[in-house]
Amino acid sequence: MRVLLVEDEVEIRSFLERSLTEAGYQVEVAPDGATAEELAVEGSHDALIVDLGLPDVDGITLILRLRQLGVKAPVMILSARRTVDDRVRGLEQGGDDYLTKPFALAELLARLRNLLRRHGSGGNPSTRLRVMDLELDLLRREASRGDEALQLTPQEFVLLEYLCRNAGRVVTRSMILDQVWGMRIQPDTNVIDVHIYRLRGKVDTAGHEPLIKTLRGVGYVLKDR
Ligand code: CA
């Protein structure tokens, strides 16, 4: 899945570039409308993520221009403009979804998957993740171990998805905060430990080999063998 990210704010751009890459997307980035136009016309992207407040052109104008140039990929608008009028205008003028800043990474990834599925690009095999007897259906947002369905909250699902994508590798608390919550909380907070504790209670039940391991003072690792 190839995604073109058009965003002028360096921090958001690099955060999203890294997060989307970790989520399995091939990402191209553009800091302004002119670069975006060049890349969009040359490359065949499966989706575009476009910030409205760009330095050289308004995002809506850019989207209209890209449509004129024959770019058909679905567009997710990312914007700090949050009124109903702004959303309606964005969606009427070529955007396919609209996400306001600040946003949670989990929501952006979920919406992006929906967008790709609606536009017929989502049916690739990477919509499922499997580690040992643990399986995640990323489209339905359902998880199971063996024959048993796991009853996870949306947040628990995202956390488990992140652990699965990094199976066999150590993930630290700050990586989880950054990637799953998409924000910085006080690093000494025990919010992660609480969520892991609850998740483990659902995933590592009696009769199953424990998968989620704690490395004291370091972080967590999901066993992959
Ligand atoms: Ca901007």
Side-chain angles (χ1 to χ4, degrees):
M1 290 289 136
R2 288 165 52 84
V3 174
L4 175 60
L5 170 64
V6 190
E7 168 66 78
D8 60 317
E9 284 168 63
V10 177
E11 270 190 27
I12 298 179
R13 191 171 67 230
S14 50
F15 168 70
L16 278 182
E17 183 180 14
R18 185 159 40 89
S19 305
L20 288 166
T21 304
E22 284 192 14
Y25 295 98
Q26 276 180 272
V27 187
E28 280 195 295
V29 296
D32 53 55
T35 314
E37 195 176 310
E38 232 171 80
L39 291 173
V41 170
E42 279 174 12
S44 53
H45 300 98
D46 297 291
L48 274 60
I49 300 175
V50 176
D51 174 41
L52 287 193
L54 297 169
D56 56 344
V57 63
D58 183 81
I60 297 282
T61 312
L62 172 67
I63 294 167
L64 289 172
R65 171 101 185 106
L66 293 179
R67 293 299 184 223
Q68 282 170 358
L69 292 168
V71 174
K72 292 195 172 60
V75 174
M76 185 191 304
I77 294 173
L78 204 56
S79 175
R81 303 173 201 166
R82 38 178 59 245
T83 71
V84 174
D85 276 358
D86 287 328
R87 283 172 185 254
V88 169
R89 183 167 164 256
L91 293 171
E92 274 178 355
Q93 303 195 320
D96 298 276
D97 198 359
Y98 195 108
L99 189 60
T100 50
K101 295 177 184 174
F103 57 88
L105 178 62
E107 186 178 3
L108 182 138
L109 292 175
R111 280 169 178 256
L112 184 58
R113 270 193 297 270
N114 273 332
L115 199 59
L116 290 166
R117 184 175 38 167
R118 286 209 305 273
H119 286 262
S121 318
N124 71 338
S126 70
T127 56
R128 278 174 184 274
L129 282 177
R130 183 190 279 274
V131 178
M132 315 268 284
D133 62 345
L134 174 67
E135 189 166 333
L136 271 61
D137 182 327
L138 301 177
L139 291 181
R140 293 204 170 82
R141 315 303 285 166
E142 290 168 358
S144 59
R145 270 203 85 171
D147 299 334
E148 291 169 38
L150 306 180
Q151 305 300 322
L152 304 181
T153 65
Q155 188 67 67
E156 286 166 350
F157 187 94
V158 174
L159 177 55
L160 185 58
E161 179 183 344
Y162 183 65
L163 292 173
C164 283
R165 290 194 186 282
N166 292 283
R169 290 196 291 259
V170 177
V171 295
T172 64
R173 285 178 182 75
S174 59
M175 284 164 74
I176 294 176
L177 281 173
D178 197 28
Q179 296 298 308
V180 177
W181 271 262
M183 65 184 98
R184 302 251 174 223
I185 315 176
Q186 287 297 318
D188 58 335
T189 178
N190 70 346
V191 63
I192 302 292
D193 304 79
V194 172
H195 277 85
I196 291 280
Y197 176 81
R198 292 204 190 115
L199 184 62
R200 185 181 275 141
K202 296 180 177 183
V203 174
D204 291 339
T205 49
H208 289 287
E209 186 183 346
L211 295 181
I212 303 172
K213 296 188 70 173
T214 303
L215 302 177
R216 220 155 272 296
V218 183
Y220 305 93
V221 62
L222 188 85
K223 279 184 67 169
D224 61 348
R225 62 194 153 82

